[in-house]
Amino acid sequence: MNWTSPSAGEPDDRRNYHRVSVSIAGRYMLEDKREFPCRTTDMSAGGVSLAAPVRGAVGERVIVYLDYIGRVEGSIIRHTPFGFAIALALPGNKRERIADQLTWLLNRDSLREEDRRHERIVPILRHCVLLENGEEHIVKLIDVSVSGAAIATELKIPNDTKVLLGATPGRVARTFENGMAVEFDTPLPIEDFDENIRL
């Protein structure tokens, strides 16, 4: 699928990107510094439509922080029934990364099904550092799949909290007695997936 276009430098280049329906939670900040929660309704590497409680003015600059995507910014180009749409102002490398993330998000369900066909492994190096809200904790890996890991810990961290497991970003998917499951933001490379893996 072609997500980008050679004419990406044109003022109305948002039309040159493939727009897909995708629901991603996040927050946005208007020019007056007010912040509100939001969720994408569709997105491309050139623009995004948000379901948002407060609309900014057309032409207003907006900064948005989205799960899986990170920080993006741009200008409001129109209002929608549930929020507004933004034309993103991004360098080419950031657009390419967003295109890759959107591809992964679209295929996440099928990737999860594929992950289930792979056996979960118990890595040789069982201890790992979990970074949460700037604090480091030593945890023990129970097992690892290409999409996530189960860890043994006494920590109680709310679901959907963003964490770093070793050097691998993810979020707390669920908790259980004496541990939790972490879902990685992007699947691990299958070629690196064996008992010697280091997160």
Side-chain angles (χ1 to χ4, degrees), residues 62-99:
V62 182
I63 297 173
V64 186
Y65 297 89
L66 296 172
D67 291 349
Y68 308 108
I69 300 295
R71 180 185 187 274
V72 295
E73 61 180 285
S75 299
I76 296 175
I77 55 173
R78 67 180 179 276
H79 291 153
T80 65
F82 301 103
F84 52 87
I86 302 169
L88 298 176
L90 302 170
N93 60 343
K94 177 75 169 181
R95 291 184 192 270
E96 293 291 340
R97 189 175 72 80
I98 287 175

Short mmCIF file of all heavy atoms in Angstrom, two decimals, residues 62-99:
data_model
loop_
_atom_site.label_atom_id
_atom_site.label_comp_id
_atom_site.label_asym_id
_atom_site.label_seq_id
_atom_site.Cartn_x
_atom_site.Cartn_y
_atom_site.Cartn_z
N VAL A 62 -2.39 23.12 16.63
CA VAL A 62 -2.74 22.15 17.66
C VAL A 62 -1.59 21.16 17.81
O VAL A 62 -0.98 20.73 16.81
CB VAL A 62 -4.03 21.38 17.30
CG1 VAL A 62 -4.40 20.41 18.41
CG2 VAL A 62 -5.17 22.34 17.03
N ILE A 63 -1.27 20.80 19.06
CA ILE A 63 -0.31 19.74 19.34
C ILE A 63 -1.09 18.55 19.88
O ILE A 63 -1.94 18.69 20.76
CB ILE A 63 0.75 20.20 20.37
CG1 ILE A 63 1.58 21.36 19.79
CG2 ILE A 63 1.67 19.04 20.76
CD1 ILE A 63 2.53 21.99 20.79
N VAL A 64 -0.81 17.38 19.32
CA VAL A 64 -1.54 16.17 19.71
C VAL A 64 -0.55 15.09 20.14
O VAL A 64 0.48 14.90 19.48
CB VAL A 64 -2.40 15.64 18.53
CG1 VAL A 64 -3.28 14.48 18.99
CG2 VAL A 64 -3.25 16.76 17.93
N TYR A 65 -0.86 14.40 21.23
CA TYR A 65 -0.08 13.25 21.69
C TYR A 65 -0.96 12.02 21.56
O TYR A 65 -1.99 11.92 22.22
CB TYR A 65 0.36 13.43 23.14
CG TYR A 65 1.26 14.62 23.35
CD1 TYR A 65 0.74 15.88 23.62
CD2 TYR A 65 2.66 14.48 23.28
CE1 TYR A 65 1.58 16.97 23.81
CE2 TYR A 65 3.50 15.57 23.47
CZ TYR A 65 2.95 16.81 23.73
OH TYR A 65 3.79 17.89 23.92
N LEU A 66 -0.56 11.09 20.70
CA LEU A 66 -1.37 9.90 20.43
C LEU A 66 -0.62 8.64 20.86
O LEU A 66 0.58 8.51 20.63
CB LEU A 66 -1.69 9.80 18.94
CG LEU A 66 -2.55 10.91 18.34
CD1 LEU A 66 -2.62 10.77 16.83
CD2 LEU A 66 -3.96 10.88 18.93
N ASP A 67 -1.35 7.71 21.46
CA ASP A 67 -0.77 6.40 21.75
C ASP A 67 -0.25 5.79 20.46
O ASP A 67 -0.86 5.94 19.40
CB ASP A 67 -1.82 5.47 22.37
CG ASP A 67 -2.23 5.88 23.77
OD1 ASP A 67 -1.57 6.76 24.34
OD2 ASP A 67 -3.23 5.34 24.27
N TYR A 68 0.86 5.09 20.55
CA TYR A 68 1.51 4.39 19.42
C TYR A 68 2.18 5.35 18.42
O TYR A 68 3.13 4.96 17.76
CB TYR A 68 0.53 3.50 18.64
CG TYR A 68 -0.24 2.55 19.49
CD1 TYR A 68 -1.59 2.75 19.74
CD2 TYR A 68 0.38 1.44 20.07
CE1 TYR A 68 -2.31 1.86 20.52
CE2 TYR A 68 -0.33 0.55 20.85
CZ TYR A 68 -1.67 0.77 21.08
OH TYR A 68 -2.38 -0.10 21.85
N ILE A 69 1.69 6.58 18.32
CA ILE A 69 2.19 7.51 17.32
C ILE A 69 3.16 8.52 17.92
O ILE A 69 4.21 8.82 17.37
CB ILE A 69 1.03 8.27 16.62
CG1 ILE A 69 0.09 7.28 15.92
CG2 ILE A 69 1.56 9.32 15.65
CD1 ILE A 69 0.70 6.54 14.77
N GLY A 70 2.80 9.05 19.09
CA GLY A 70 3.64 10.07 19.73
C GLY A 70 3.10 11.47 19.46
O GLY A 70 1.91 11.68 19.24
N ARG A 71 4.01 12.43 19.45
CA ARG A 71 3.64 13.84 19.32
C ARG A 71 3.57 14.24 17.84
O ARG A 71 4.49 13.97 17.07
CB ARG A 71 4.68 14.72 20.02
CG ARG A 71 4.41 16.22 19.97
CD ARG A 71 5.58 16.96 20.59
NE ARG A 71 5.35 18.37 20.73
CZ ARG A 71 5.57 19.28 19.78
NH1 ARG A 71 6.03 18.89 18.60
NH2 ARG A 71 5.35 20.57 20.00
N VAL A 72 2.45 14.85 17.47
CA VAL A 72 2.30 15.41 16.13
C VAL A 72 1.68 16.80 16.29
O VAL A 72 1.08 17.12 17.31
CB VAL A 72 1.42 14.54 15.22
CG1 VAL A 72 2.07 13.19 14.96
CG2 VAL A 72 0.03 14.34 15.81
N GLU A 73 1.82 17.62 15.27
CA GLU A 73 1.20 18.93 15.32
C GLU A 73 0.80 19.37 13.93
O GLU A 73 1.27 18.84 12.92
CB GLU A 73 2.13 19.95 15.97
CG GLU A 73 3.44 20.19 15.27
CD GLU A 73 4.28 21.22 16.01
OE1 GLU A 73 3.96 22.42 15.92
OE2 GLU A 73 5.24 20.82 16.69
N GLY A 74 -0.09 20.36 13.91
CA GLY A 74 -0.56 20.87 12.63
C GLY A 74 -1.61 21.94 12.86
O GLY A 74 -1.75 22.48 13.96
N SER A 75 -2.36 22.25 11.80
CA SER A 75 -3.38 23.30 11.85
C SER A 75 -4.75 22.71 11.59
O SER A 75 -4.91 21.81 10.76
CB SER A 75 -3.08 24.37 10.80
OG SER A 75 -1.83 24.98 11.04
N ILE A 76 -5.75 23.25 12.28
CA ILE A 76 -7.13 22.82 12.08
C ILE A 76 -7.60 23.30 10.71
O ILE A 76 -7.49 24.49 10.38
CB ILE A 76 -8.05 23.37 13.19
CG1 ILE A 76 -7.63 22.79 14.55
CG2 ILE A 76 -9.51 23.04 12.90
CD1 ILE A 76 -8.39 23.37 15.72
N ILE A 77 -8.10 22.39 9.89
CA ILE A 77 -8.54 22.75 8.55
C ILE A 77 -10.06 22.76 8.42
O ILE A 77 -10.60 23.41 7.53
CB ILE A 77 -7.93 21.82 7.48
CG1 ILE A 77 -8.22 20.35 7.81
CG2 ILE A 77 -6.44 22.07 7.34
CD1 ILE A 77 -7.80 19.39 6.71
N ARG A 78 -10.76 22.04 9.31
CA ARG A 78 -12.22 22.07 9.27
C ARG A 78 -12.77 21.46 10.56
O ARG A 78 -12.10 20.68 11.24
CB ARG A 78 -12.76 21.31 8.06
CG ARG A 78 -12.52 19.82 8.09
CD ARG A 78 -13.09 19.12 6.85
NE ARG A 78 -12.81 17.70 6.89
CZ ARG A 78 -11.68 17.13 6.50
NH1 ARG A 78 -10.70 17.90 6.04
NH2 ARG A 78 -11.51 15.82 6.57
N HIS A 79 -14.01 21.81 10.84
CA HIS A 79 -14.73 21.19 11.94
C HIS A 79 -15.51 20.00 11.43
O HIS A 79 -15.88 19.94 10.25
CB HIS A 79 -15.67 22.20 12.59
CG HIS A 79 -14.97 23.29 13.32
ND1 HIS A 79 -15.52 24.54 13.51
CD2 HIS A 79 -13.74 23.34 13.89
CE1 HIS A 79 -14.67 25.30 14.18
NE2 HIS A 79 -13.58 24.60 14.42
N THR A 80 -15.73 19.02 12.29
CA THR A 80 -16.52 17.84 11.96
C THR A 80 -17.64 17.72 12.99
O THR A 80 -17.63 18.44 14.01
CB THR A 80 -15.64 16.57 12.00
OG1 THR A 80 -15.20 16.35 13.35
CG2 THR A 80 -14.42 16.72 11.09
N PRO A 81 -18.61 16.84 12.78
CA PRO A 81 -19.71 16.72 13.75
C PRO A 81 -19.23 16.38 15.16
O PRO A 81 -19.90 16.75 16.14
CB PRO A 81 -20.56 15.59 13.17
CG PRO A 81 -20.31 15.66 11.70
CD PRO A 81 -18.87 16.04 11.57
N PHE A 82 -18.09 15.70 15.28
CA PHE A 82 -17.65 15.27 16.61
C PHE A 82 -16.33 15.89 17.03
O PHE A 82 -15.79 15.55 18.07
CB PHE A 82 -17.51 13.74 16.63
CG PHE A 82 -18.79 13.03 16.30
CD1 PHE A 82 -18.98 12.47 15.05
CD2 PHE A 82 -19.82 12.96 17.22
CE1 PHE A 82 -20.17 11.82 14.73
CE2 PHE A 82 -21.02 12.33 16.91
CZ PHE A 82 -21.20 11.76 15.66
N GLY A 83 -15.78 16.80 16.23
CA GLY A 83 -14.50 17.40 16.61
C GLY A 83 -13.94 18.25 15.49
O GLY A 83 -14.60 19.15 14.99
N PHE A 84 -12.74 17.89 15.02
CA PHE A 84 -12.11 18.67 13.96
C PHE A 84 -11.04 17.85 13.27
O PHE A 84 -10.63 16.79 13.76
CB PHE A 84 -11.49 19.97 14.52
CG PHE A 84 -10.56 19.77 15.69
CD1 PHE A 84 -9.21 19.52 15.49
CD2 PHE A 84 -11.03 19.86 16.99
CE1 PHE A 84 -8.35 19.34 16.56
CE2 PHE A 84 -10.17 19.69 18.07
CZ PHE A 84 -8.83 19.43 17.85
N ALA A 85 -10.61 18.35 12.11
CA ALA A 85 -9.56 17.69 11.33
C ALA A 85 -8.34 18.59 11.26
O ALA A 85 -8.46 19.82 11.21
CB ALA A 85 -10.07 17.37 9.93
N ILE A 86 -7.16 17.95 11.26
CA ILE A 86 -5.90 18.68 11.27
C ILE A 86 -5.07 18.26 10.07
O ILE A 86 -4.98 17.07 9.75
CB ILE A 86 -5.09 18.36 12.55
CG1 ILE A 86 -5.88 18.71 13.80
CG2 ILE A 86 -3.74 19.07 12.56
CD1 ILE A 86 -5.24 18.18 15.09
N ALA A 87 -4.45 19.24 9.41
CA ALA A 87 -3.42 18.95 8.42
C ALA A 87 -2.09 18.94 9.17
O ALA A 87 -1.71 19.93 9.80
CB ALA A 87 -3.41 20.02 7.33
N LEU A 88 -1.40 17.81 9.14
CA LEU A 88 -0.18 17.67 9.92
C LEU A 88 1.00 18.36 9.24
O LEU A 88 1.17 18.30 8.03
CB LEU A 88 0.14 16.18 10.11
CG LEU A 88 -0.91 15.38 10.90
CD1 LEU A 88 -0.52 13.91 10.94
CD2 LEU A 88 -1.07 15.93 12.31
N ALA A 89 1.82 19.01 10.07
CA ALA A 89 3.05 19.64 9.59
C ALA A 89 4.21 18.82 10.15
O ALA A 89 4.60 18.97 11.31
CB ALA A 89 3.13 21.09 10.08
N LEU A 90 4.75 17.91 9.31
CA LEU A 90 5.75 16.96 9.79
C LEU A 90 6.87 16.83 8.78
O LEU A 90 6.65 16.93 7.57
CB LEU A 90 5.11 15.57 9.98
CG LEU A 90 3.93 15.47 10.94
CD1 LEU A 90 3.28 14.10 10.81
CD2 LEU A 90 4.40 15.70 12.38
N PRO A 91 8.09 16.56 9.25
CA PRO A 91 9.18 16.25 8.32
C PRO A 91 8.94 14.89 7.67
O PRO A 91 8.18 14.06 8.18
CB PRO A 91 10.42 16.22 9.22
CG PRO A 91 9.89 15.91 10.59
CD PRO A 91 8.53 16.54 10.65
N GLY A 92 9.60 14.65 6.54
CA GLY A 92 9.38 13.43 5.79
C GLY A 92 9.63 12.17 6.58
O GLY A 92 8.88 11.19 6.46
N ASN A 93 10.68 12.15 7.41
CA ASN A 93 10.99 10.93 8.16
C ASN A 93 9.90 10.61 9.18
O ASN A 93 9.59 9.46 9.44
CB ASN A 93 12.37 11.01 8.82
CG ASN A 93 12.49 12.17 9.79
OD1 ASN A 93 11.69 13.10 9.77
ND2 ASN A 93 13.49 12.12 10.66
N LYS A 94 9.31 11.66 9.76
CA LYS A 94 8.21 11.45 10.71
C LYS A 94 6.98 10.91 9.99
O LYS A 94 6.28 10.04 10.48
CB LYS A 94 7.89 12.76 11.41
CG LYS A 94 6.72 12.69 12.39
CD LYS A 94 7.06 12.01 13.68
CE LYS A 94 5.95 12.20 14.71
NZ LYS A 94 6.26 11.57 15.99
N ARG A 95 6.72 11.42 8.79
CA ARG A 95 5.59 10.92 8.01
C ARG A 95 5.76 9.44 7.69
O ARG A 95 4.82 8.66 7.75
CB ARG A 95 5.44 11.72 6.71
CG ARG A 95 4.98 13.16 6.90
CD ARG A 95 4.78 13.82 5.55
NE ARG A 95 4.61 15.25 5.66
CZ ARG A 95 3.44 15.86 5.81
NH1 ARG A 95 2.34 15.14 5.88
NH2 ARG A 95 3.36 17.17 5.90
N GLU A 96 6.98 9.06 7.31
CA GLU A 96 7.25 7.66 7.01
C GLU A 96 7.03 6.79 8.24
O GLU A 96 6.47 5.69 8.14
CB GLU A 96 8.69 7.50 6.50
CG GLU A 96 8.96 8.14 5.16
CD GLU A 96 8.25 7.45 4.02
OE1 GLU A 96 7.86 6.27 4.19
OE2 GLU A 96 8.07 8.08 2.97
N ARG A 97 7.46 7.27 9.40
CA ARG A 97 7.28 6.49 10.63
C ARG A 97 5.80 6.34 10.95
O ARG A 97 5.33 5.26 11.35
CB ARG A 97 8.01 7.15 11.79
CG ARG A 97 8.05 6.28 13.05
CD ARG A 97 8.89 6.90 14.13
NE ARG A 97 8.24 8.04 14.73
CZ ARG A 97 7.29 7.95 15.68
NH1 ARG A 97 6.88 6.76 16.09
NH2 ARG A 97 6.75 9.03 16.19
N ILE A 98 5.03 7.43 10.78
CA ILE A 98 3.59 7.36 11.03
C ILE A 98 2.93 6.38 10.06
O ILE A 98 2.06 5.60 10.43
CB ILE A 98 2.95 8.76 10.94
CG1 ILE A 98 3.36 9.58 12.16
CG2 ILE A 98 1.43 8.67 10.84
CD1 ILE A 98 2.88 11.01 12.13
N ALA A 99 3.34 6.42 8.80
CA ALA A 99 2.79 5.48 7.82
C ALA A 99 3.05 4.04 8.26
O ALA A 99 2.16 3.18 8.16
CB ALA A 99 3.40 5.75 6.45
#
